[in-house]
């Protein structure tokens, strides 16, 4: 009874997310020897938060109804593959016509979030023509011994004029300069894979 009351208060999706994170933490710590996952297929971050000063939205003159826009945003938030993003984009074009620039940037942001999660970023700032990505907070995470992180380190070494790795308050971040759009951020992150 207590658990179902807790689910009712925060919602099933949030409850499920919290439960998944707790299980993953146990796999990484107390049961690390029991659950061995391939580092190339492993997802180290369950959700990446993106903060930007760029205009990424479905404009009111594209989708007139506020409630319809909210439903579309909720659906967008649940997309987890490129195929789902393409289907969503086609649905938008079919219902509302050609996508405005801000709408294209919004879809690119979903792609950026998915790519960032694969690369171990918990948070991204896209502001003042800079990309700043904050890596997994847990310094004991197997992420830091993964092939993904090794690839990132090599990328930083090769591109040291434009890219910087920094540790501040026990949080590791990657900064890339001259990023003026979500699409440009996506192109840079693709090079990290």
């Amino acid at each position: 009874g207590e658990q179902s009351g807790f689910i009712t208060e925060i919602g099933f999706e949030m409850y499920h997310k919290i439960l998944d994170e707790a299980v993953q933490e146990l796999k990484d710590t107390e049961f690390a020897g029991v659950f061995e996952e391939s580092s190339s297929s492993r997802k180290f971050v369950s959700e990446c938060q993106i903060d930007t000063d760029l205009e990424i939205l479905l404009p009111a003159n594209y989708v007139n109804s506020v409630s319809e826009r909210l439903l579309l945003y909720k659906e967008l938030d649940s997309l987890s593959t490129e195929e789902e993003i393409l289907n969503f984009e086609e649905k938008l074009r079919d219902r509302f016509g050609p996508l405005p620039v801000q709408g294209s940037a919004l879809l690119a942001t979903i792609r950026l979030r998915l790519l960032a999660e694969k690369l171990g970023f918990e948070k991204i700032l896209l502001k003042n023509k800079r990309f700043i990505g904050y890596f997994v907070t847990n310094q004991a995470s197997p992420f830091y011994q993964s092939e993904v992180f090794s690839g990132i380190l090599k990328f930083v070494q090769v591109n040291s004029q434009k890219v910087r790795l920094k540790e501040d308050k026990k949080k590791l971040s990657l900064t890339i300069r001259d990023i003026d759009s979500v699409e440009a951020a996506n192109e840079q992150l693709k090079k990290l894979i």
Side-chain angles (χ1 to χ4, degrees):
E2 288 177 23
Q3 284 184 344
S4 63
F6 184 64
I7 292 172
T8 304
E9 285 180 26
I10 65 168
F12 179 75
E13 289 177 18
M14 180 58 78
Y15 180 79
H16 195 266
K17 179 183 169 205
I18 292 169
L19 187 61
D20 284 345
E21 288 174 0
V23 168
Q24 189 59 51
E25 186 175 329
L26 285 172
K27 283 182 177 182
D28 289 345
T29 55
E30 293 181 39
F31 299 101
V34 178
F35 296 97
E36 293 184 22
E37 298 178 71
S38 159
S39 66
S40 60
S41 65
R42 169 96 190 267
K43 194 173 177 183
F44 296 100
V45 175
S46 61
E47 189 174 336
C48 177
Q49 176 188 349
I50 298 178
D51 186 8
T52 183
D53 59 1
L54 301 171
E55 192 173 14
I56 52 171
L57 55 96
L58 294 172
N61 62 358
Y62 184 66
V63 179
N64 297 330
S65 167
V66 173
S67 60
E68 183 67 27
R69 277 197 311 276
L70 291 174
L71 287 173
L72 290 170
Y73 288 136
K74 184 175 181 175
E75 186 177 344
L76 253 176
D77 191 47
S78 70
L79 302 180
S80 60
T81 66
E82 179 62 25
E83 183 179 346
E84 290 174 351
I85 295 170
L86 291 171
N87 289 338
F88 183 83
E89 183 175 6
E90 183 59 36
K91 183 174 107 175
L92 284 177
R93 290 181 197 281
D94 187 46
R95 288 181 63 197
F96 304 106
L99 224 58
V101 174
Q102 304 96 323
S104 294
L106 180 62
L107 293 179
T109 302
I110 301 302
R111 289 181 174 99
L112 178 66
R113 184 184 73 196
L114 297 176
L115 190 52
E117 289 169 0
K118 287 180 188 173
L119 291 167
F121 291 109
E122 292 181 334
K123 182 177 181 178
I124 288 178
L125 296 177
L126 271 175
K127 293 184 176 186
N128 302 319
K129 295 190 177 187
R130 284 188 319 166
F131 168 96
I132 303 173
Y134 295 92
F135 289 105
V136 174
T137 304
N138 179 4
Q139 292 181 342
S141 169
F143 166 73
Y144 293 106
Q145 283 76 44
S146 71
E147 293 172 25
V148 171
F149 189 66
S150 294
I152 292 169
L153 291 175
K154 288 177 188 170
F155 178 80
V156 171
Q157 289 174 338
V158 172
N159 298 284
S160 61
Q161 298 297 322
K162 187 177 179 176
V163 180
R164 188 178 73 172
L165 202 57
K166 177 182 173 186
E167 184 174 12
D168 186 30
K169 297 178 186 172
K170 296 190 177 189
K171 228 173 155 90
L172 188 64
S173 67
L174 177 80
T175 301
I176 307 173
R177 291 178 313 180
D178 303 324
I179 302 293
D180 59 356
S181 68
V182 180
E183 291 83 1
N186 271 324
E187 289 305 312
Q188 287 298 311
L189 288 193
K190 286 177 187 174
K191 294 176 184 178
L192 296 174
I193 293 181

